[in-house]
Amino acid sequence: MENNTIIKIENLVKQFPVGGGTFTALNGISLSFGKGEFSGIVGPSGSGKTTLLNIIGSLDSPTKGEVTVMGTGSGGMNAKTASQLRKKHIGFIFQTYNLMSVYTVYENVEFPLLLLKMPASERRKAVLDAIEWVGLTDKIKSRPPQLSGGESQRVAIARAMVKRPGLVLADEPTANLDAANSHHILQTMESLNKELKTTFLFATHDDKVIRYLKRIVTLADGKVVSDESVK
Ligand SMILES: Nc1ncnc2c1ncn2[C@@H]1O[C@H](COP(=O)(O)OP(=O)(O)O)[C@@H](O)[C@H]1O
Ligand SMILES: [Mg+2]
């Protein structure tokens, strides 16, 4: 694996049991992504984008093939090692934000650091920095029901970024946002990509996201049908 490679996928196959047989959701995917990329998995609904992102993030495992993320292979990796890797080095952003509605913005962003058992003094600075990166310092004590969709997704970005992960995976992050909010969160992620060199990988079929991507990998029926860099 080259030094600069953050994700390497070789001959990945993912099958799900359905009825009496199996459904092949990913059918022989080979791809690699370098550090600092701002790229996306694109394709129609059902093409396998979420399945691929979940396997990269160790939320799911391959049926066949190898997936290596930051030098740690999924092949021989046990579930505990995989989940450690995920907690430490990967941030997730989901379509539905997945925020805890009874907790404040501050507490939602702090949560991943409690799981990592970061000491309180370091934690406070990391949380305040992450909230500042997404421009929500004035909403620190608000709770998710008091926030707009765009603000909620920015909290989710801060929560994904608070550990300063090497890799952020974002699955349809704009699906519940209007055009203005979509552009705002894409601009936020673009500047985090530039300033902190965080690698971003999206799964999306939204043109508002696609126009920001520097590299577009297109899936159809579980296969890569094109892989293009955008000038
Ligand atoms: N747990 C599962 N069991 C059975 N089929 C699944 C499962 N997860 C995904 N699939 C199927 O795999 C295909 C790809 O799904 P998905 O990765 O969610 O696509 P996308 O994110 O591109 O819309 C779909 O046909 C979907 O129905
Ligand atoms: Mg999906």
Side-chain angles (χ1 to χ4, degrees):
M1 186 146 128
E2 287 169 49
N3 256 349
N4 190 37
T5 305
I6 195 160
I7 301 168
K8 189 168 173 63
I9 302 164
E10 292 169 288
N11 304 313
L12 171 63
V13 173
K14 179 64 182 181
Q15 294 174 321
F16 293 109
V18 278
T22 58
F23 174 80
T24 303
L26 297 174
N27 193 2
I29 305 267
S30 296
L31 277 172
S32 57
F33 295 93
K35 269 186 200 150
E37 281 200 43
F38 198 80
S39 44
I41 312 291
V42 164
S45 179
S47 55
K49 304 181 296 295
T50 293
T51 305
L52 180 55
L53 225 60
N54 286 349
I55 292 174
I56 292 169
S58 303
L59 298 179
D60 202 352
S61 53
T63 304
K64 284 185 216 147
E66 275 294 322
V67 177
T68 313
V69 179
M70 285 173 265
T72 321
S74 63
M77 208 199 289
N78 66 37
K80 197 170 165 211
T81 316
S83 110
Q84 287 298 109
L85 168 79
R86 189 168 79 223
K87 271 199 250 171
K88 265 215 171 97
H89 300 298
I90 302 180
F92 276 94
I93 300 168
F94 301 95
Q95 168 175 346
T96 51
Y97 326 132
N98 291 5
L99 301 177
M100 300 176 289
S101 59
V102 300
Y103 292 116
T104 63
V105 167
Y106 184 96
E107 289 161 344
N108 269 279
V109 175
E110 184 183 37
F111 188 69
L113 302 183
L114 297 174
L115 295 181
L116 288 178
K117 301 187 166 44
M118 183 186 277
S121 52
E122 271 177 69
R123 216 161 61 216
R124 180 162 176 80
K125 168 142 180 37
V127 173
L128 294 175
D129 282 351
I131 292 172
E132 194 186 326
W133 294 336
V134 301
L136 283 179
T137 302
D138 58 335
K139 301 277 178 177
I140 219 156
K141 289 182 178 152
S142 302
R143 290 170 211 277
Q146 304 165 310
L147 302 175
S148 70
E151 288 166 344
S152 298
Q153 194 57 301
R154 281 191 280 149
V155 177
I157 296 169
R159 183 187 52 188
M161 291 297 304
V162 73
K163 302 170 287 183
R164 297 178 179 250
L167 173 63
V168 170
L169 302 173
D171 193 359
E172 309 277 7
T174 55
N176 295 310
L177 301 181
D178 61 21
N181 274 308
S182 296
H183 289 304
H184 194 141
I185 71 134
L186 262 296
Q187 280 163 0
T188 301
M189 291 195 265
E190 200 179 51
S191 69
L192 292 168
N193 169 251
K194 286 200 184 109
E195 283 161 32
L196 301 174
K197 310 282 176 253
T198 310
T199 308
F200 280 82
L201 180 60
F202 294 84
T204 188
H205 60 275
D206 182 351
D207 287 331
K208 298 191 295 299
V209 175
I210 294 169
R211 75 177 67 123
Y212 280 86
L213 301 175
K214 306 289 187 305
R215 175 181 168 194
I216 299 172
V217 175
T218 307
L219 290 191
D221 295 327
K223 287 188 170 154
V224 175
V225 293
S226 74
D227 183 350
E228 293 172 297
S229 290
V230 182
K231 59 269 133 211

